[in-house]
Amino acid sequence: AQSVAQPEDQVNVAEGNPLTVKCTYSVSGNPYLFWYVQYPNRGLQFLLKYITGDNLVKGSYGFEAEFNKSQTSFHLKKPSALVSDSALYFCAVRARNYGGSQGNLIFGKGTKLSVKP
Amino acid sequence: KAGVTQTPRYLIKTRGQQVTLSCSPISGHRSVSWYQQTPGQGLQFLFEYFSETQRNKGNFPGRFSGRQFSNSRSEMNVSTLELGDSALYLCASSLAFGDRRRLGYEQYFGPGTRLTVT
């Protein structure tokens, strides 16, 4: 079965410090991985995705993610955190239906990022 | 382009009632998915529609149903509401469906409908 794990419920970072939000996955075949962010009382906003190619993927708002096939990880990173980055972050993997067609997103439980001034 | 829109944004219903939620996808997007978000269960997939046909279904009881119209707009219905149905219901649209070459297309989410069942 395909799954996504976010081992940390919450990550606390001081403003200006680098941040990492962890994600590991389990899929059959090549993974299609996504990061989304959710601000209070809002829907999810797409940050970035890994499909193929370079292991370091750059996305919106200065975020990037590193794909590591051997460790089955897709950690989200940012070199310098902002207070406005405080939000709920979700890692997701694309499920595959029978025959390999596009399926739904399977989400991790989410990690609450808190950036303090 | 306008984003995904969902109506209503907030809804309060009583146990046993039914409710219909609406979603308008981004112009040109033909795939619409629905998710339920609760603090305990997180984000769970309900169903996905493409070309007015349900293509995927999550593990929810038959009280949860949906449909898609020819203009790609979608509705979901929950009958005989239970307290546990209180949740944020999110709709997402995407460009493509059914093509393994397009597995990489991201989904774009609406703001959600907050349903409270009392």
Side-chain angles (χ1 to χ4, degrees):
Chain A
Q2 298 172 106
S3 64
V4 173
Q6 294 180 242
E8 302 155 318
D9 290 336
Q10 181 156 345
V11 170
N12 299 311
V13 178
E15 187 175 32
N17 283 0
L19 70 86
T20 299
V21 183
K22 296 180 180 177
C23 171
T24 59
Y25 64 89
S26 173
V27 298
S28 55
N30 293 324
Y32 295 83
L33 298 159
F34 303 81
W35 274 102
Y36 285 84
V37 60
Q38 185 177 36
Y39 296 98
N41 300 314
R42 302 281 295 276
L44 276 67
Q45 294 181 29
F46 170 73
L47 278 178
L48 50 78
K49 65 182 178 183
Y50 173 82
I51 305 304
T52 187
D54 290 341
N55 290 340
L56 186 64
V57 178
K58 293 190 183 298
S60 306
Y61 312 120
F63 283 94
E64 56 190 28
E66 186 172 9
F67 171 68
N68 188 315
K69 188 173 183 178
S70 62
Q71 297 186 4
T72 62
S73 67
F74 188 54
H75 300 333
L76 182 70
K77 301 182 179 184
K78 188 174 182 181
S80 179
L82 299 172
V83 172
S84 57
D85 292 330
S86 299
L88 190 55
Y89 290 80
F90 290 95
C91 181
V93 65
R94 175 78 75 188
R96 287 174 177 263
N97 295 331
Y98 179 76
S101 64
Q102 174 178 300
N104 55 283
L105 288 173
I106 298 172
F107 287 91
K109 290 292 186 182
T111 298
K112 183 179 180 181
L113 174 66
S114 178
V115 182
K116 300 295 185 184
Chain B
K1 279 185 180 178
V4 177
T5 58
Q6 292 186 246
T7 57
R9 291 292 311 277
Y10 301 92
L11 207 49
I12 299 175
K13 290 286 188 178
T14 305
R15 274 181 300 173
Q17 288 185 316
Q18 74 167 18
V19 66
T20 299
L21 312 181
S22 180
C23 170
S24 293
I26 291 172
S27 177
H29 286 193
R30 296 172 61 194
S31 171
V32 174
S33 299
W34 290 89
Y35 295 84
Q36 181 196 64
Q37 185 178 20
T38 60
Q41 298 299 317
L43 280 155
Q44 294 187 288
F45 171 71
L46 281 156
F47 26 65
E48 179 173 20
Y49 286 86
F50 181 79
S51 292
E52 302 176 64
T53 302
Q54 187 180 94
R55 305 295 180 141
N56 294 312
K57 189 177 189 306
N59 189 25
F60 277 81
R63 300 185 298 107
F64 291 82
S65 63
R67 59 177 175 169
Q68 186 180 35
F69 302 94
S70 58
N71 61 357
S72 296
R73 191 177 69 85
S74 176
E75 289 181 347
M76 68 162 281
N77 184 278
V78 188
S79 62
T80 318
L81 284 166
E82 301 177 0
L83 294 179
D85 297 334
S86 294
L88 182 66
Y89 289 88
L90 293 164
C91 168
S93 74
S94 180
L95 268 174
F97 173 86
D99 183 344
R100 68 177 67 199
R101 295 169 298 179
R102 300 185 177 186
L103 285 167
Y105 276 100
E106 58 270 24
Q107 293 184 342
Y108 291 90
F109 285 78
T113 295
R114 171 76 62 186
L115 173 64
T116 302
V117 182
T118 62

